[in-house]
Amino acid sequence: MEVIVQKTYDEMSKGGAQLIAQTLNAKPNAVLGMATGSTPLGVYKELVRMHKNEGLDFSQVTTFNLDEYVGLPVTHDQSYHYFMHENFFKHVNISHQNIYIPSGTTGNYKAFCDWYEKRIEECGGIDVQILGIGTDGHIAFNEPTSSLSSRTRLKTLAKMTIDDNARFFEKREDVPIYAITMGVGTILEARKLILLANGKGKAQAVKEMVEGPVTSMITASALQLHPSAKVFIDHDAASLLEMKDYYEWIQQKKPGAPQV
Ligand code: PGA
């Protein structure tokens, strides 16, 4: 796992966007894994800027989102369909038939989840997956004790996640209790992972993800098993890391390292 500590949220977002742009330049028909929540908004803003000012092209890109709330229609302003459209898709030249987001309103969740996994495979697998982290250490909606080899499925959200996300809804009771989410196993199959975290509220989860044991209690700790995971964090999110100086040292010394 490569830990990249940045001074500000903006720098962290630019770092993440840069990596995605590099992937698209090398492979214009890349498959991107998308995340929602407040953390990746800066990455989307930067990618939209690159599209508008630098011609970053999304015309051949395919996307798969990590998760969606169960029960919210796609027009609901808190559905992840709506979020992605408003914050990213409507601002870039992506082809709408190449956008995949789990359905929160299907009549058959099991069949939908199996189909979603199959579509990822048929599209060649995910090249780069963007991730946030929950205060309970989740990735996507893989709450504590989710199997580290889990696949796309229906999950019951943890109370902590419901509390965290209540800020986006009028009242706590409006937050959906169930979600459909890619599994930890699904996520680990992406060729590259980029996890972003900012703010003091994420410091404990970040510490456990990077320096704690691999455990289903902190599903983000499964990133330790991935061969190409980059973690972009700001100073607040890095504040509890014991080895912070070492991560900064590695980044400082990287330009002089022999080319591999
Ligand atoms: P946030 O959510 O970006 O809104 O903090 C992250 C997550 O729960 O994965």
Side-chain angles (χ1 to χ4, degrees):
M1 190 185 300
E2 186 178 348
V3 179
I4 301 144
V5 183
Q6 305 274 23
K7 279 197 197 72
T8 63
Y9 173 78
D10 274 0
E11 278 179 37
M12 177 190 99
S13 303
K14 283 187 181 143
Q18 205 67 52
L19 272 186
I20 293 160
Q22 275 166 18
T23 304
L24 292 189
N25 289 332
K27 185 178 178 187
N29 63 345
V31 178
L32 301 181
M34 313 303 273
T36 51
S38 49
T39 311
L41 281 171
V43 171
Y44 296 146
K45 211 171 131 207
E46 177 62 8
L47 287 173
V48 169
R49 191 200 63 74
M50 287 176 174
H51 169 67
K52 296 214 154 103
N53 300 350
E54 295 162 17
L56 185 64
D57 181 28
F58 290 87
S59 62
Q60 298 178 62
V61 166
T62 298
T63 61
F64 285 90
N65 263 78
L66 287 170
D67 46 16
E68 177 59 290
Y69 288 120
V70 164
L72 298 188
V74 297
T75 49
H76 191 289
D77 66 3
Q78 290 309 323
S79 79
Y80 290 164
H81 281 75
Y82 186 91
F83 176 102
M84 286 309 300
H85 184 72
E86 286 303 305
N87 292 301
F88 188 59
F89 294 140
K90 79 174 188 190
H91 305 289
V92 295
N93 64 333
I94 189 160
S95 190
H96 280 244
Q97 76 264 21
N98 291 349
I99 296 172
Y100 296 91
I101 304 177
S103 169
T105 53
T106 171
N108 185 339
Y109 282 97
K110 171 83 180 84
F112 181 85
C113 293
D114 291 348
W115 174 82
Y116 201 72
E117 287 276 337
K118 204 161 119 263
R119 275 315 287 152
I120 295 174
E121 210 181 302
E122 286 164 356
C123 291
I126 293 170
D127 289 297
V128 188
Q129 175 67 60
I130 305 168
L131 297 163
I133 182 169
T135 49
D136 65 359
H138 69 205
I139 42 172
F141 276 134
N142 293 288
E143 301 289 30
T145 71
S146 289
S147 159
L148 299 186
S149 56
S150 50
R151 311 303 306 189
T152 304
R153 69 215 183 287
L154 194 88
K155 277 298 285 183
T156 305
L157 299 182
K159 286 184 186 161
M160 187 185 262
T161 300
I162 293 175
D163 288 343
D164 284 349
N165 291 357
R167 69 189 192 278
F168 299 117
F169 291 81
E170 238 170 72
K171 32 188 204 318
R172 192 184 182 279
E173 302 77 72
D174 293 341
V175 185
I177 294 168
Y178 307 100
I180 181 166
T181 180
M182 273 188 210
V184 182
T186 320
I187 292 168
L188 289 180
E189 280 174 14
R191 290 179 192 94
K192 288 185 186 156
L193 303 179
I194 300 177
L195 185 142
L196 304 137
N198 64 292
K200 282 233 183 299
K202 296 291 172 67
Q204 183 63 31
V206 165
K207 184 191 163 34
E208 293 184 58
M209 163 180 70
V210 179
E211 296 176 342
V214 174
T215 168
S216 64
M217 285 299 285
I218 302 286
T219 53
S221 66
L223 265 67
Q224 293 177 31
L225 301 171
H226 194 278
S228 181
K230 287 189 200 292
V231 173
F232 287 89
I233 48 180
D234 71 353
H235 276 292
D236 283 342
S239 57
L240 297 178
L241 290 173
E242 261 171 54
M243 306 286 285
K244 184 167 168 239
D245 288 352
Y246 176 55
Y247 310 136
E248 290 180 332
W249 165 258
I250 292 172
Q251 293 305 314
Q252 273 168 28
K253 296 295 163 199
K254 218 175 155 183
Q259 292 300 310
V260 285

